[in-house]
Amino acid sequence: MSTTNMATSSNYWEDLRKQARQLENELDLKLVSFSKLCTSYSSGTHDQSDSLGSSQDNMLVAMTTELEQLLASLTSVNDKMAEYTNTPGGSSHNAALMHTLQRHRDILQDYTHEFHKTKSNFFSLREREDLLGSVHRDIESYKSSSGVNNRRTELFLKEHEHLRNSDSLIDNAISIAMATKENITFQRGMLKSIQTRVTTLANRFPAINSLIQKINLRKRRDSLILGGVIGVCTILLLLYTFH
């Protein structure tokens, strides 16, 4: 291959990588906003006006569509990168190209999983909220039509309200825990990619190997401490909820 063709081919690969990184950055920001919007929607459904609820519905639909388009675009870029690695021009550095391609594929897989997980959790929470809201509206309708306001009805309404508040607190705790888990999983994937490259360097330079081992020991210790803190906080929250 001529020098000009090699330069053109290299520029094409770099353009693809640049597109992939840009899409990954956009997806990272959008997924954080999407998760926050889903959480705020589910935690305040029954206290919102119809116009505000409709506005949030429109925002959710628009953000879902945008995320699906970004994921589709990133998938397309990854496919083009895969095609490039199979061309004669990319074979000379095939191992390095395949490593880079696999890293971008892993990131795409993590983002796709996080998007579908958040969307699925949101629809489950909204279905539960709608069911509780329907029961609440039926009770209010019964009170208005019958005019009955005895002690039994008041106790039933108070108990129902208590259960709904407890359910909302548990849902919020679960959402926070799941979001934390997803974030840790994503960070672990990114760190794993970095660790692979650092390990390669460590094999070449033995002095680095000792430092890496110390870092790994400290990382495992920090993971145990973080897991313990999350567990204790969850238990305390559940005890407070059902106290």
Side-chain angles (χ1 to χ4, degrees):
M1 180 180 292
S2 66
T3 303
T4 302
N5 290 337
M6 290 178 63
T8 302
S9 179
S10 177
N11 290 337
Y12 177 67
W13 173 258
E14 289 302 321
D15 287 342
L16 290 175
R17 288 193 61 190
K18 185 182 297 184
Q19 293 176 34
R21 287 194 295 267
Q22 182 178 354
L23 289 169
E24 288 164 359
N25 290 335
E26 290 184 30
L27 277 166
D28 187 44
L29 295 174
K30 293 293 182 181
L31 283 170
V32 172
S33 300
F34 184 62
S35 179
K36 290 181 179 179
L37 182 60
C38 290
T39 302
S40 65
Y41 184 99
S42 62
S43 63
T45 301
H46 300 305
D47 298 328
Q48 297 169 345
S49 65
D50 292 340
S51 59
L52 182 56
S54 177
S55 176
Q56 282 200 325
D57 283 337
N58 293 335
M59 290 176 62
L60 282 166
V61 171
M63 190 168 291
T64 299
T65 301
E66 187 174 2
L67 282 168
E68 289 174 345
Q69 292 174 347
L70 287 172
L71 288 171
S73 297
L74 185 56
T75 300
S76 176
V77 172
N78 282 352
D79 291 341
K80 292 178 181 179
M81 294 173 74
E83 292 177 0
Y84 177 84
T85 60
N86 295 325
T87 60
S91 60
S92 58
H93 304 287
N94 192 58
L97 297 182
M98 290 301 296
H99 176 75
T100 301
L101 174 60
Q102 185 60 46
R103 183 159 57 87
H104 285 293
R105 281 175 170 172
D106 291 340
I107 294 174
L108 172 61
Q109 183 178 4
D110 289 340
Y111 283 149
T112 302
H113 174 75
E114 183 178 351
F115 169 65
H116 289 298
K117 189 78 171 180
T118 302
K119 186 170 69 170
S120 176
N121 291 338
F122 164 70
F123 282 120
S124 297
L125 288 171
R126 187 170 69 172
E127 183 178 356
R128 184 179 300 178
E129 291 285 341
D130 290 342
L131 179 60
L132 291 172
S134 177
V135 172
H136 185 72
R137 286 191 297 270
D138 289 342
I139 294 173
E140 291 296 330
S141 177
Y142 173 77
K143 285 180 59 180
S144 299
S145 61
S146 63
V148 177
N149 192 20
N150 54 32
R151 179 64 176 171
R152 178 179 297 179
T153 302
E154 292 179 0
L155 290 175
F156 177 76
L157 290 173
K158 288 180 180 179
E159 184 65 20
H160 169 71
E161 187 68 19
H162 175 72
L163 290 174
R164 190 173 73 84
N165 292 335
S166 298
D167 190 66
S168 179
L169 287 174
I170 293 174
D171 286 341
N172 288 337
I174 292 174
S175 297
I176 293 172
M178 292 182 67
T180 302
K181 177 180 177 296
E182 292 292 334
N183 187 40
I184 291 174
T185 300
F186 173 72
Q187 291 181 4
R188 183 183 302 167
M190 298 295 291
L191 289 174
K192 183 177 180 182
S193 176
I194 296 173
Q195 187 178 17
T196 300
R197 287 180 288 177
V198 174
T199 302
T200 302
L201 291 176
N203 293 333
R204 297 181 181 177
F205 305 97
I208 301 178
N209 196 25
S210 176
L211 177 60
I212 292 176
Q213 291 178 355
K214 292 180 181 180
I215 293 175
N216 288 335
L217 288 174
R218 183 168 183 179
K219 184 174 69 174
R220 284 195 292 269
R221 184 193 66 185
D222 292 344
S223 297
L224 290 174
I225 293 174
L226 179 60
V229 171
I230 293 175
V232 170
C233 292
T234 303
I235 292 173
L236 290 176
L237 182 58
L238 291 175
L239 289 175
Y240 173 78
T241 301
F242 294 102
H243 187 269

